[in-house]
Amino acid sequence: MKKIYFGPKGTVKWHEPFWKPWGCLGCLGRLLLYLVLLFTLMFLLNMFKMCTCSSGALQLPDDILNPTGENPLPHVPVDTTLQFPNNIQNPGNNLPSPGDNFIPPYDDDDVITDDDTHQQIVGNKLNVILDSRADDSTFRQWADEFKRLYPGEQYSIVFYDPLTKLLQIQIPEQEREAIMQNLPNQITDISFKVFPEGLMGEAAQPNDPIFQHQEIAWYFNPIQAYEAWQITKGSPDIVVAIVDSYFDLNHDDLNSDRIVHPFSVPRHTGNVAPAQGADEVAFMHGSMVASQALGNMDNNRGTAGIAPGCKFMPVSLGHRFTMMTILEGLLYAIYQGADVINISAGCSFDPSINSMSTEQQIAFSQQECLIEADVWNYVANLANERNVTIVWAAGNDNVFAAMDPSKRGDATIKVSAVDKNLRKADFSNYGNFPDRNIEESTISAPGVDIMGAMPYNTYNIGPGTSFAAPIVTGAVALMKSLDPTLTTTEIASILQETGKPIQGDNSIGKLIQIKDALLKVQSSFANMNDIMNNHQQFLGLWQSTRLLKKYTNGQETGDHIRIFFNITAENQGQIIYYEESSTKKDYVAPLRLLWQQNKITMKQEQNAVNETATDTYVPCTYVCTPGNQQRLQCTYTTENSGSTEPFFLRRAERRNNE
């Protein structure tokens, strides 16, 4: 049957092939027109190939798209036989002997953070630089005077160099400040300066190719990623779930032994890859998001995630999401032990929302979708009871974020996007109206030209709050790597307190500053020096950075238990085990404190009980000693168990149930 197509002026024979007669030109005219169009198309394509990103879109260089893993630099032989003497004749008894005169490596446990400068320094070392005219006798004289002032074995000169006029001394850490201030007034007949041994060096610079192209790696600098990686790259004890479309777990930037509990919502299996022929965009999205949050680092491939040391739980939703699909994936991640969950998805709205005024959008969020909002709020509270932090992408419709009922309230972290100028991205949803006490955008992160893993070992760059959210997810994972007990409320507060205001726009959250957030986490940890010098500083409420899991008859109940130490006097206090999930009960027992040199022992000598419960918490002994940077590091033992992994104590303003 012949098909007839209708236009505004009757039947139109657009279906007929071009060689059929067409007016007076007939076949020849059609052929000439076809050749002209073909030539024009080929010319334009050639011009497009020669175009160097005139549209502003970034192009990925060959070393990212086609990595070889080889070093292109030629080998240059270097003479390593040269020696530079750093000894003097007759060094005497107070300078190191020639065989021992080398700069000693520092111990990580001796690294502390200076309270005034926030610089990392070696706490038990000080450096001295003598005047440029100093000779051998000056070194001997300085050494003799130093040992006359500080004769004990704990004071010593561990290195000197007459060529550079430098010395290094080792002293007790608690005397560092006093000695640094007093020495210039104690040795007055020699010109010198004394200064701390600060840690130096480049910020962590992985070998992944992206970091050789700052126009592509632009977003790592403004969020302090390099500095943050000097503090931590993530703990394998922290599990990050990416709830998204599909994942290519064979990709070089995703494949590792860090993958745990993969799950496909549509299949209910561990196969999180798409079926053959599936929409590549859906395949791409999950892989990109995952690589941005916690992709492999230092593998000489592609890019790196913000938290490359954490575990990765891939949860596939398939290529079409519904509320049920997302809830299924979200609850799976919660119940399977995720610590942080990223969801770069949200409600799908009709385009008509863009015609709504801001007032109408706010009113909509307060009056509509209340049932859905109640469900999302229930799940968020369920997550928080299990100390799971949910991070949402705010959305890309340039509307009030809380139009989406999954992004209302303060029980989750909601992420807006900034562009390369660190201003609100034109597509990003917003949510903050300070004058009306409305805050629905928790924090912001770069969301334009963000690089991530694509299927089949390829890479791409893209815009969207989808790619801002995993940056924040990675940062939250780093924070929890330092303190797994941090609640979502505490995390949001730290991110907002340390974030950088968006210039000229307070409708979205501040720009995340990861290093500052990590330092803020560490600032609440107990300091051994401070406490040993003044026992009164140990009074008050402290919380362990270790969460316990509750077991009944050998089965895990899902309850998380927080441990609090309420120190009421120098030698006594209480221990409180708080079940924050289902029972919300306190189990309390008295504590007895024993003080020794560089050690505090806290003994729980009877069961911790709750007057309405039959179960109890058995006696434990907690031993606290100096840890990294002199933080109070504790372990505990019971009658039936050995010593645990160490944890820290942090100051607590109040308990969660108060």
Side-chain angles (χ1 to χ4, degrees):
M1 179 179 293
K2 184 177 180 180
K3 295 182 179 179
I4 304 295
Y5 295 82
F6 289 88
K9 295 183 180 180
T11 60
V12 181
K13 299 182 180 179
W14 292 339
H15 61 288
E16 292 186 347
F18 76 91
W19 61 82
K20 291 286 184 77
W22 183 26
C24 62
L25 293 178
C27 175
L28 180 61
R30 287 268 184 152
L31 182 59
L32 289 173
L33 178 61
Y34 172 74
L35 292 173
V36 169
L37 291 174
L38 181 62
F39 175 79
T40 303
L41 178 62
M42 293 177 65
F43 174 77
L44 291 174
L45 287 173
N46 187 58
M47 292 296 292
F48 178 75
K49 289 180 180 179
M50 293 187 294
C51 172
T52 56
C53 305
S54 60
S55 65
L58 286 176
Q59 301 294 314
L60 295 179
D62 286 342
D63 63 336
I64 291 178
L65 293 174
N66 302 296
T68 64
E70 299 173 354
N71 185 353
L73 298 177
H75 175 71
V76 179
V78 179
D79 184 1
T80 60
T81 62
L82 294 176
Q83 294 187 6
F84 300 92
N86 63 340
N87 298 292
I88 61 176
Q89 292 183 351
N90 303 318
N93 296 326
N94 296 323
L95 290 172
S97 62
D100 297 326
N101 192 22
F102 298 95
I103 299 176
Y106 65 85
D107 192 318
D108 287 340
D109 289 341
D110 295 327
V111 176
I112 64 173
T113 299
D114 187 275
D115 292 336
D116 296 324
T117 66
H118 303 289
Q119 180 189 15
Q120 287 190 307
I121 60 176
V122 181
N124 64 346
K125 300 285 197 312
L126 285 173
N127 299 322
V128 175
I129 183 168
L130 301 179
D131 186 273
S132 61
R133 293 166 293 184
D135 55 16
D136 291 5
S137 63
T138 311
F139 276 83
R140 284 192 294 267
Q141 180 185 348
W142 196 97
D144 291 342
E145 293 198 34
F146 173 73
K147 286 303 294 180
R148 177 179 58 80
L149 293 165
Y150 301 93
E153 293 183 359
Q154 65 269 42
Y155 310 95
S156 62
I157 298 172
V158 294
F159 170 77
Y160 72 96
D161 188 348
L163 181 66
T164 60
K165 318 300 181 187
L166 289 168
L167 303 99
Q168 185 171 88
I169 59 176
Q170 181 163 312
I171 41 86
E173 182 183 308
Q174 60 269 24
E175 298 181 40
R176 181 182 62 85
E177 284 284 349
I179 292 175
M180 188 165 61
Q181 293 177 9
N182 294 335
L183 265 179
N185 299 319
Q186 294 171 324
I187 304 177
T188 58
D189 52 347
I190 300 175
S191 178
F192 68 94
K193 296 181 184 296
V194 59
F195 54 97
E197 173 71 329
L199 267 59
M200 304 290 289
E202 294 182 348
Q205 184 77 11
N207 66 19
D208 309 85
I210 186 176
F211 300 106
Q212 305 303 317
H213 303 275
Q214 284 306 306
E215 73 280 8
I216 299 173
W218 72 271
Y219 50 94
F220 291 96
N221 263 324
I223 62 174
Q224 302 179 330
Y226 301 109
E227 297 93 334
W229 289 329
Q230 288 186 309
I231 299 173
T232 180
K233 293 177 183 176
S235 165
D237 294 330
I238 299 300
V239 178
V240 179
I242 307 296
V243 179
D244 213 290
S245 57
Y246 295 104
F247 304 91
D248 182 0
L249 298 185
N250 292 315
H251 196 290
D252 286 341
D253 269 344
L254 294 180
N255 185 270
S256 75
D257 59 3
R258 296 183 294 119
I259 297 172
V260 295
H261 306 309
F263 179 67
S264 167
V265 170
R267 299 186 180 105
H268 265 240
T269 70
N271 181 6
V272 295
Q276 188 172 4
D279 181 5
E280 189 179 72
V281 173
F283 193 2
M284 168 198 75
H285 196 273
S287 299
M288 284 191 71
V289 169
S291 67
Q292 290 153 359
L294 68 169
N296 295 331
M297 178 182 283
D298 281 325
N299 63 344
N300 206 26
R301 292 291 185 269
T303 184
I306 298 298
C310 295
K311 290 283 200 313
F312 167 32
M313 182 189 297
V315 180
S316 170
L317 303 176
H319 68 286
R320 300 185 71 181
F321 308 166
T322 65
M323 184 172 176
M324 183 64 174
T325 319
I326 294 180
L327 284 171
E328 176 83 356
L330 182 55
L331 289 167
Y332 172 85
I334 291 172
Y335 291 131
Q336 289 299 313
D339 297 286
V340 191
I341 302 174
N342 185 97
I343 310 180
S344 290
C347 285
S348 178
F349 287 106
D350 186 275
S352 63
I353 64 168
N354 292 299
S355 63
M356 296 172 62
S357 68
T358 301
E359 288 295 328
Q360 290 173 319
Q361 293 176 23
I362 294 174
F364 179 95
S365 70
Q366 295 171 342
Q367 300 167 9
E368 304 296 335
C369 303
L370 300 183
I371 295 176
E372 296 94 323
D374 184 60
V375 172
W376 290 117
N377 188 57
Y378 166 79
V379 174
N381 289 333
L382 193 68
N384 289 330
E385 285 180 353
R386 285 159 175 74
N387 210 50
V388 183
T389 298
I390 300 173
V391 179
W392 283 97
N396 305 324
D397 299 303
N398 191 29
V399 298
F400 183 51
M403 293 271 288
D404 183 340
S406 65
K407 299 173 179 63
R408 296 178 188 172
D410 57 4
T412 61
I413 307 288
K414 294 154 290 186
V415 184
S416 297
V418 299
D419 59 22
K420 289 187 171 182
N421 296 315
L422 305 183
R423 296 176 181 269
K424 176 185 171 299
D426 56 8
F427 55 78
S428 177
N429 288 357
Y430 50 87
N432 297 345
F433 298 91
D435 56 328
R436 302 177 59 171
N437 199 30
I438 294 176
E439 187 178 274
E440 298 290 1
S441 172
T442 312
I443 197 73
S444 296
V448 173
D449 288 341
I450 309 299
M451 180 176 156
M454 285 278 284
Y456 313 116
N457 265 344
T458 58
Y459 298 87
N460 203 352
I461 51 178
T465 58
S466 281
F467 307 137
I471 290 174
V472 174
T473 294
V476 172
L478 296 184
M479 294 169 71
K480 286 200 167 188
S481 295
L482 298 180
D483 183 358
T485 69
L486 287 171
T487 66
T488 299
T489 299
E490 290 171 328
I491 290 168
S493 177
I494 292 171
L495 292 177
Q496 291 167 340
E497 183 177 342
T498 59
K500 184 177 180 180
I502 306 300
Q503 187 175 357
D505 194 337
N506 57 11
S507 70
I508 61 175
K510 296 177 180 178
L511 177 64
I512 190 169
Q513 302 291 282
I514 307 177
K515 177 206 70 176
D516 291 344
L518 297 181
L519 291 178
K520 181 67 176 177
V521 172
Q522 291 180 327
S523 69
S524 65
F525 291 174
N527 182 278
M528 189 70 174
N529 277 344
D530 294 342
I531 291 171
M532 296 306 292
N533 290 334
N534 182 1
H535 293 183
Q536 296 297 307
Q537 292 201 26
F538 202 38
L539 299 182
L541 188 65
W542 299 89
Q543 179 180 345
S544 163
T545 62
R546 182 182 179 88
L547 283 176
L548 300 181
K549 294 182 178 179
K550 185 176 180 180
Y551 291 82
T552 300
N553 298 324
Q555 298 294 318
E556 185 180 336
T557 65
D559 285 295
H560 281 95
I561 302 152
R562 295 180 182 272
I563 310 174
F564 293 91
F565 300 86
N566 185 24
I567 310 302
T568 56
E570 183 173 351
N571 296 313
Q572 66 183 27
Q574 289 179 316
I575 188 167
I576 305 162
Y577 299 93
Y578 170 52
E579 297 179 353
E580 70 171 347
S581 301
S582 58
T583 70
K584 293 183 169 51
K585 290 180 178 179
D586 284 336
Y587 294 77
V588 184
L591 274 180
R592 183 165 59 91
L593 275 64
L594 304 174
W595 297 83
Q596 299 167 276
Q597 184 176 6
N598 282 333
K599 184 166 77 171
I600 306 170
T601 302
M602 298 184 287
K603 287 182 173 290
Q604 172 199 341
E605 297 178 327
Q606 61 189 59
N607 290 340
V609 298
N610 179 284
E611 59 184 14
T612 65
T614 57
D615 49 353
T616 61
Y617 286 83
V618 298
C620 288
T621 298
Y622 295 84
V623 177
C624 302
T625 56
N628 187 25
Q629 300 185 23
Q630 284 296 307
R631 298 188 185 101
L632 197 68
Q633 180 174 278
C634 305
T635 59
Y636 71 86
T637 57
T638 67
E639 293 180 355
N640 300 319
S641 67
S643 182
T644 62
E645 290 293 321
F647 57 89
F648 299 110
L649 296 183
R650 66 176 169 103
R651 180 66 76 178
E653 297 297 327
R654 60 183 179 85
R655 298 208 313 282
N656 290 17
N657 63 335
E658 292 181 337

